[in-house]
């Protein structure tokens, strides 16, 4: 009621900045839901297939989806989230999955903002939208939000942190961010209790089906510099202007609040900003921490609401212009992050016709070379046909050779392609129909089996 009385005192031109909390979080949830519904993530397919496999057969020791890496010891640090995904999909299809994941994203922002400044959660959502959807990183964003709030509560609540980290380590490899935040808090306020908390939390991360080996895949991925040039979400200096604006606003407010450049520079969001510069996939975590800090600083400000309103009235014209710009810019972000390449048919950008053809046995008797971006989809929609590569494998390697390197060599080195195709008895290729590789294979006598409306073609060797 208190926040409603404050909101009712706002002039009409200012109410856009202070919507009711329920309306703000409904908007947040709807944005995340639309993103999940209309744009299926390329890795969704293998996550779903893995979850279904775990429910029926348990966790395998080696890869089960490819023929090129069948002996590779697959360590899936998302095994539990895959099982949850499969259970949801089995119970209510993709709609239920999208609803659930939209709830995870929304709950994360609610936890760190609540009723302090709900409009901030909307702006944070717009920044996160290009990285959101039905993706396993939603679990890390959610768990980070819980961890953030546990540190804000009384010290007695921090005893729950190792339990949170244990669950987190089985949901997503982003639990290392949680360990980093625990370490950061300890460095700020060193104590034996904090050191013990960190040690127990690290130990808790080994309570997985893989034990301490859970770190093998994480270390392998973090040390792979080639990802920054090959995988979109690992690109360096790749975030949009909205992230830069959000970071700049936070820096200004943080400095005004603390009156200390040192305290501003040593805040945890600065670490996440550097991480986001190195890899754009860290933007959702950066946005969450920045929005949490902004809402908290404004909520804790010693200036009364009446003083704030009086000062804002002096710049009323500027505030109206800013409101209009915010609406326009927000609409642009929604268009770019939500509707770009989206469709009312979530699978429109994937080769469903090719998957059906493969499932019907078009390439029976041989193996398939496939485009990296559709590997996960084919695992889902054409489970009888194992794939050459998919989204799990950018950093996998055997005998010092990366599977991803071989994938690129097939496209660019004809002699290696012939050896690789002969080695694995590859007789089909599901690739972009206008790619240089497709043209080269056609020139070599490969025949078109089907061309998909999504821009892919299925070719088969004439031999």
């Amino acid at each position: 009621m208190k926040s409603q009385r404050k909101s009712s005192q706002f002039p009409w031109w200012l109410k856009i900045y202070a919507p009711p909390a329920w309306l703000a979080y409904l908007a947040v949830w709807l944005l995340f839901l639309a993103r999940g519904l209309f744009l299926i993530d390329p890795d969704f397919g293998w996550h779903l297939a893995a979850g279904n496999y775990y429910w029926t057969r348990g966790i395998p020791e080696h890869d089960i989806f490819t023929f090129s890496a069948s002996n590779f010891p697959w360590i899936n640090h998302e095994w539990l989230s895959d099982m949850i995904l499969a259970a949801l999909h089995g119970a209510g299809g993709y709609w239920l999955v999208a609803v659930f994941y939209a709830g995870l994203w929304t709950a994360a922002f609610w936890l760190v903002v609540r009723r302090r400044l709900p409009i901030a959660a909307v702006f944070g959502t717009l920044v996160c939208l290009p990285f959101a959807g039905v993706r396993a990183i939603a679990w890390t964003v959610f768990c980070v939000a819980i961890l953030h709030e546990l540190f804000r509560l009384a010290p007695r609540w921090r005893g729950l942190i190792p339990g949170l980290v244990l669950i987190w380590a089985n949901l997503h490899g982003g639990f290392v961010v949680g360990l980093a935040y625990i370490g950061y808090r300890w460095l700020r306020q060193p104590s034996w209790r904090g050191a013990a908390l960190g040690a127990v939390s690290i130990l808790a991360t080994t309570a997985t089906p893989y034990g301490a080996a859970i770190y093998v895949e994480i270390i392998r991925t973090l040390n792979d510099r080639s990802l920054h040039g090959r995988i979109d979400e690992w690109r360096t200096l790749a975030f949009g202007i909205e992230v830069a604006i959000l970071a700049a606003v936070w820096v200004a407010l943080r400095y005004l609040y603390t009156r200390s450049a040192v305290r501003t520079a040593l805040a945890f969001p600065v670490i996440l900003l550097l991480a986001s510069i190195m890899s754009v996939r860290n933007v959702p975590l950066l946005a969450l921490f920045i929005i949490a800090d902004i809402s908290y600083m404004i909520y804790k400000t010693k200036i009364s609401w009446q003083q704030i309103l009086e000062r804002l009235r002096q710049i009323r014209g500027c505030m109206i212009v800013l409101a209009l710009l915010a609406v326009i810019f927000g609409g642009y972000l929604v268009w770019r992050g939500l509707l770009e390449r989206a469709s009312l048919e979530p699978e429109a950008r994937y080769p469903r016709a090719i998957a059906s053809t493969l499932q019907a046995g078009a390439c029976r008797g041989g193996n398939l070379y496939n485009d990296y971006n559709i590997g996960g989809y084919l695992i889902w929609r054409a489970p009888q046909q194992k794939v050459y590569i998919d989204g799990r494998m950018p950093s996998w390697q055997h005998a010092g050779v990366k599977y991803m390197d071989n994938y690129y060599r097939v496209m660019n080195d004809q002699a290696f392609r012939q050896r690789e195709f002969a080695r694995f008895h590859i007789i089909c290729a599901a690739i972009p129909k206008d790619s240089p590789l497709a043209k080269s294979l056609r020139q070599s006598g490969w025949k078109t089996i089907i061309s998909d409306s999504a821009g892919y073609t299925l070719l088969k060797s004439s031999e």
Side-chain angles (χ1 to χ4, degrees):
M1 294 296 296
K2 186 177 180 181
S3 63
Q4 291 178 355
R5 287 196 299 269
K6 287 181 178 179
S7 179
S8 65
Q9 297 172 4
F10 291 170
W12 67 267
W13 49 270
L14 191 57
K15 286 185 179 180
I16 189 174
Y17 296 98
W22 68 268
L23 180 60
Y25 289 113
L26 176 61
V28 167
W29 181 76
L30 288 174
L31 286 169
F32 282 129
L33 177 63
R35 172 70 179 188
L37 282 177
F38 301 140
L39 230 163
I40 294 180
D41 186 75
D43 289 334
F44 170 78
W46 73 256
H47 280 297
L48 177 60
N52 285 324
Y53 186 96
Y54 299 157
W55 278 113
T56 57
R57 305 184 188 181
I59 297 176
E61 295 183 358
H62 299 91
D63 182 43
I64 56 175
F65 296 132
T66 69
F67 59 85
S68 59
S70 58
N71 295 321
F72 186 82
W74 178 28
I75 299 173
N76 183 9
H77 47 69
E78 299 161 359
W79 72 273
L80 182 56
S81 62
D82 287 351
M83 292 188 71
I84 295 172
L85 173 67
L88 290 169
H89 192 271
Y94 189 78
W95 266 88
L96 180 59
V97 173
V99 167
F100 178 82
Y101 273 77
L104 278 183
W105 287 98
T106 304
F109 277 99
W110 178 85
L111 279 168
V112 299
V113 177
R114 298 184 198 176
R115 300 180 68 87
R116 299 185 189 106
L117 191 66
I119 191 65
V122 178
F123 283 108
T125 298
L126 292 173
V127 171
C128 286
L129 213 55
F131 310 91
V134 179
R135 306 187 62 210
I137 194 176
W139 288 106
T140 280
V141 173
F142 179 62
C143 290
V144 159
I146 296 176
L147 181 63
H148 183 274
E149 292 307 295
L150 285 175
F151 272 109
R152 277 189 176 175
L153 296 174
R156 67 177 182 274
W157 291 100
R158 296 177 188 178
L160 298 175
I161 290 177
L164 170 66
V165 173
L166 185 152
I167 298 172
W168 192 351
N170 290 279
L171 288 169
H172 189 250
F175 70 85
V176 294
V177 177
L179 296 180
Y181 188 58
I182 293 170
Y184 168 82
R185 298 289 302 220
W186 179 79
L187 287 174
R188 285 185 56 186
Q189 296 180 329
S191 67
W192 286 109
R193 181 175 295 180
L197 178 67
V200 174
S201 296
I202 292 173
L203 184 62
T205 63
T206 64
T208 73
Y210 309 101
I214 192 72
Y215 286 95
V216 171
E217 181 68 16
I218 294 172
I219 294 173
R220 180 191 293 124
T221 302
L222 293 177
N223 287 336
D224 188 356
R225 297 183 179 180
S226 67
L227 293 177
H228 299 285
R230 290 176 171 176
I231 310 299
D232 285 346
E233 68 174 18
W234 283 90
R235 288 178 300 163
T236 300
L237 284 172
F239 53 69
I241 189 174
E242 68 277 6
V243 180
I245 292 173
L246 184 64
V249 170
W250 172 79
V251 169
L253 291 177
R254 182 75 182 177
Y255 177 74
L256 290 173
Y257 183 78
T258 63
R259 299 293 181 180
S260 171
V262 174
R263 289 180 64 184
T264 300
L266 295 179
F268 193 69
V270 173
I271 298 174
L272 291 176
L273 177 59
L274 295 175
S276 299
I277 291 173
M278 292 300 298
S279 175
V280 71
R281 73 194 310 268
N282 294 305
V283 164
L285 299 175
L286 171 66
L288 185 77
F289 269 88
I290 283 181
I291 292 302
D293 206 25
I294 288 176
S295 63
Y296 182 79
M297 288 187 294
I298 293 178
Y299 179 76
K300 286 293 185 179
T301 183
K302 295 181 180 179
I303 302 176
S304 68
W305 281 104
Q306 191 59 39
Q307 290 175 306
I308 293 175
L309 289 174
E310 190 60 37
R311 295 181 184 183
L312 290 177
R313 287 191 183 98
Q314 298 174 6
I315 55 171
R316 179 174 59 181
C318 180
M319 294 299 293
I320 294 174
V321 172
L322 286 176
L324 292 173
L325 290 176
V327 171
I328 294 171
F329 190 58
Y332 160 73
L333 293 181
V334 170
W335 172 82
R336 194 193 72 179
L338 178 61
L339 301 179
E340 188 179 30
R341 297 193 304 168
S343 168
L344 293 178
E345 170 52 55
E347 296 180 48
R349 64 189 184 118
Y350 295 104
R352 188 161 191 171
I354 290 177
S356 299
T357 303
L358 289 170
Q359 186 66 3
C363 294
R364 186 179 293 115
N367 285 317
L368 171 77
Y369 176 87
N370 61 280
D371 182 74
Y372 171 84
N373 292 311
I374 63 172
Y377 180 77
L378 294 178
I379 288 172
W380 172 29
R381 289 302 190 184
Q384 292 183 1
Q385 184 77 55
K386 288 194 172 184
V387 299
Y388 181 84
I389 196 168
D390 64 83
R392 302 166 299 148
M393 302 169 63
S395 299
W396 289 10
Q397 57 181 302
H398 177 69
V401 178
K402 292 181 181 178
Y403 294 99
M404 196 75 167
D405 290 344
N406 286 345
Y407 166 74
Y408 281 109
R409 285 192 68 186
V410 166
M411 289 189 287
N412 302 315
D413 185 336
Q414 185 173 1
F416 177 79
R417 181 194 313 155
Q418 293 174 347
R419 294 195 301 270
E420 190 79 348
F421 281 17
R423 174 189 174 195
F424 290 114
H425 190 45
I426 294 174
I427 63 171
C428 288
I431 52 181
K433 60 184 177 182
D434 295 326
S435 64
L437 176 58
K439 296 177 182 178
S440 177
L441 290 176
R442 291 191 192 100
Q443 292 173 357
S444 300
W446 287 51
K447 304 299 182 182
T448 300
I449 302 299
I450 186 174
S451 288
D452 197 280
S453 59
Y456 293 91
T457 186
L458 177 64
L459 302 175
K460 187 174 183 179
S461 171
S462 58
E463 297 179 3

